[in-house]
Amino acid sequence: MLEELKKKCFKKSLPLSIILIIAGLVLAVWNASSAFYALFGLAKFEDLKPDEVRNQLVEANVNIVWDCYLEQGTKNTSTNRTTINYYWYIIATGDEYATDYRYMAIKVPKKMGSQMDDIMDYYYEYGLPASDSLELAGKIKKLSGKYYDYFHDYFVDDNDFTEAEFKDNTLPYYIDVNLSMDTMKYGYVILVLAGVALIIWGIVRIINGAKGNSLKTFLADLHNAGFTDSAIESDVAAATAYTKHNDIKLGRLCTYFGLNSAAPRAIPNNKILWAYQSTTTHRTNGIKTGVTYSIMVFADGFKNAFNIGVPDEATSQDILNKMNQIYPWVVVGYSEDLRKMFNKDRAQFLQLRYNTVEHVAVEPGFEGFNT
């Protein structure tokens, strides 16, 4: 039984382990290049040739701005007013001496709008790059969705580019300028490290599952109670099963739950003090959306109560009635008086049953069972 349980735990833990590894790989690989530039220096945007522009962190010395083509903001539906958060401008790759360049976009926070406008006005008034250039840093990203459409329409609809001219003279990218560049840079490093951590976690879970380490707590509880593996095997085989998948079992020696999960547990019955049903009603915006049931089990020597999830109230009551029948030393059921006594006068609570009844299961069919 224990070998079968070990295999079952490994099988149950495997999907999450694989998900962790895949998520870690995606997180690490997706942010690897940005983390590299964050650690070893950002690329100079004006040094990039058109075919070198891709998703990466860059520093940009902006001294020519062609136009502001988009204002991006948020609309307050109650006042119908829009607050501008970002401005989108047209810039070009390369420096002012480049002969092979492409137009692309740059998105800047609202507070930089006036400086970008000054650079644009200076160029159109004097035909020269601004002497007071703007040092910016951000990440080059792909234009997509409506933001690509706005970019396309600016050239084709507003400036009479043909589709061929638009394709030949522009790049569907933009620089997303970040005011807290240090935070953003180290954020990419943290994301890569988080990805690596997820990969390691997934691998460790697989190794532990293969070794059966997920049963350590399960077996430790039982061995600490003085039960041998053979006694546990016999007890589980003879135990009364509940739920569709026999996930919960009441045995002579122990109460077992989570038997079909990645981390099953067992409570030595001779340690159980109190068991009762817990009912939780779930609401969304004040509307009842469901009810969940569980059995709370308090055991001597265990700091926290065990919370055994059950599918419905009928199952909960079946289990509690069975516990009341075969474990006569356990207080079954809930009341406020019992709660107060348990918390404030544990000695009196133990006198109700635990200290006055022999801890021997009385269910018919267990007679002659030898541990």
Side-chain angles (χ1 to χ4, degrees):
M1 185 281 298
L2 292 178
E3 189 61 32
E4 180 184 345
L5 193 57
K6 172 183 172 181
K7 293 178 181 178
K8 189 180 293 184
C9 290
F10 176 63
K11 185 177 178 181
K12 287 290 183 179
S13 68
L14 197 56
L16 178 56
S17 300
I18 293 173
I19 290 172
L20 289 171
I21 292 173
I22 293 174
L25 284 170
V26 170
L27 199 60
V29 172
W30 186 264
N31 295 285
S33 63
S34 296
F36 174 84
Y37 287 112
L39 290 172
F40 300 104
L42 306 188
K44 298 287 186 183
F45 172 70
E46 51 271 20
D47 292 341
L48 299 177
K49 294 181 174 58
D51 60 357
E52 295 175 331
V53 173
R54 58 183 180 275
N55 291 340
Q56 60 181 301
L57 295 176
V58 293
E59 292 176 335
N61 180 32
V62 179
N63 55 12
I64 296 177
V65 175
W66 296 91
D67 203 354
C68 177
Y69 74 98
L70 178 64
E71 296 178 348
Q72 180 184 346
T74 52
K75 188 174 183 178
N76 187 320
T77 54
S78 60
T79 63
N80 208 32
R81 297 181 61 180
T82 299
T83 301
I84 301 301
N85 304 118
Y86 301 99
Y87 293 111
W88 294 68
Y89 291 87
I90 301 295
I91 58 172
T93 60
D95 57 23
E96 61 267 30
Y97 304 108
T99 55
D100 181 19
Y101 60 88
R102 302 289 188 278
Y103 296 111
M104 56 180 283
I106 185 169
K107 171 187 169 185
V108 301
K110 177 182 178 181
K111 65 182 299 182
M112 292 183 176
S114 59
Q115 294 169 282
M116 295 290 285
D117 287 343
D118 289 343
I119 294 173
M120 179 175 63
D121 293 342
Y122 187 89
Y123 179 76
Y124 280 108
E125 183 172 353
Y126 300 103
L128 297 170
S131 55
D132 295 330
S133 59
L134 190 57
E135 294 286 344
L136 301 175
K139 185 174 185 180
I140 297 177
K141 298 180 180 179
K142 190 86 170 180
L143 278 169
S144 61
K146 63 181 181 181
Y147 294 106
Y148 174 82
D149 294 337
Y150 293 138
F151 182 74
H152 169 273
D153 293 347
Y154 169 79
F155 285 97
V156 175
D157 294 344
D158 299 343
N159 288 279
D160 299 325
F161 275 52
T162 64
E163 290 293 340
E165 289 173 333
F166 172 75
K167 182 178 179 181
D168 291 341
N169 292 282
T170 66
L171 292 175
Y173 288 94
Y174 71 101
I175 301 176
D176 189 1
V177 174
N178 196 299
L179 289 175
S180 7
M181 194 59 193
D182 286 339
T183 302
M184 186 176 76
K185 285 194 298 185
Y186 295 120
Y188 287 113
V189 176
I190 292 172
L191 288 174
V192 170
L193 292 176
V196 172
L198 288 176
I199 294 170
I200 294 173
W201 185 13
I203 293 173
V204 169
R205 278 176 57 88
I206 290 176
I207 294 173
N208 286 337
K211 291 182 176 180
N213 289 344
S214 56
L215 289 181
K216 276 187 174 181
T217 302
F218 177 83
L219 293 175
D221 291 342
L222 299 174
H223 292 161
N224 289 339
F227 304 136
T228 64
D229 287 356
S230 60
I232 296 167
E233 296 246 11
S234 300
D235 191 50
V236 173
T240 303
Y242 294 87
T243 73
K244 182 179 179 181
H245 301 289
N246 298 331
D247 198 42
I248 302 172
K249 288 189 174 185
L250 300 187
R252 180 173 185 263
L253 300 180
C254 297
T255 295
Y256 307 91
F257 64 99
L259 293 176
N260 291 303
S261 71
R265 293 299 303 270
I267 313 169
N269 290 333
N270 59 8
K271 299 291 184 181
I272 298 178
L273 307 172
W274 187 21
Y276 60 84
Q277 176 180 303
S278 175
T279 305
T280 303
T281 301
H282 304 277
R283 298 182 183 276
T284 302
N285 298 324
I287 301 173
K288 181 179 176 180
T289 56
V291 179
T292 55
Y293 301 93
S294 62
I295 297 173
M296 304 298 296
V297 177
F298 293 83
D300 187 33
F302 294 88
K303 180 179 179 180
N304 298 316
F306 294 91
N307 189 319
I308 305 174
V310 291
D312 49 51
E313 187 171 16
T315 303
S316 172
Q317 290 302 308
D318 283 348
I319 293 173
L320 289 171
N321 289 335
K322 189 71 171 180
M323 294 180 78
N324 190 50
Q325 175 189 355
I326 65 177
Y327 311 144
W329 62 92
V330 177
V331 175
V332 176
Y334 179 87
S335 72
E336 279 298 308
D337 289 339
L338 285 174
R339 182 188 65 80
K340 292 176 182 178
M341 186 188 303
F342 186 84
N343 292 329
K344 296 182 178 181
D345 193 347
R346 186 68 57 88
Q348 183 183 355
F349 185 93
L350 296 178
Q351 285 301 116
L352 294 176
R353 286 193 173 189
Y354 191 76
N355 286 343
T356 59
V357 179
E358 187 179 7
H359 295 189
V360 177
V362 296
E363 182 185 13
F366 277 132
E367 294 88 357
F369 185 86
N370 185 7
T371 62

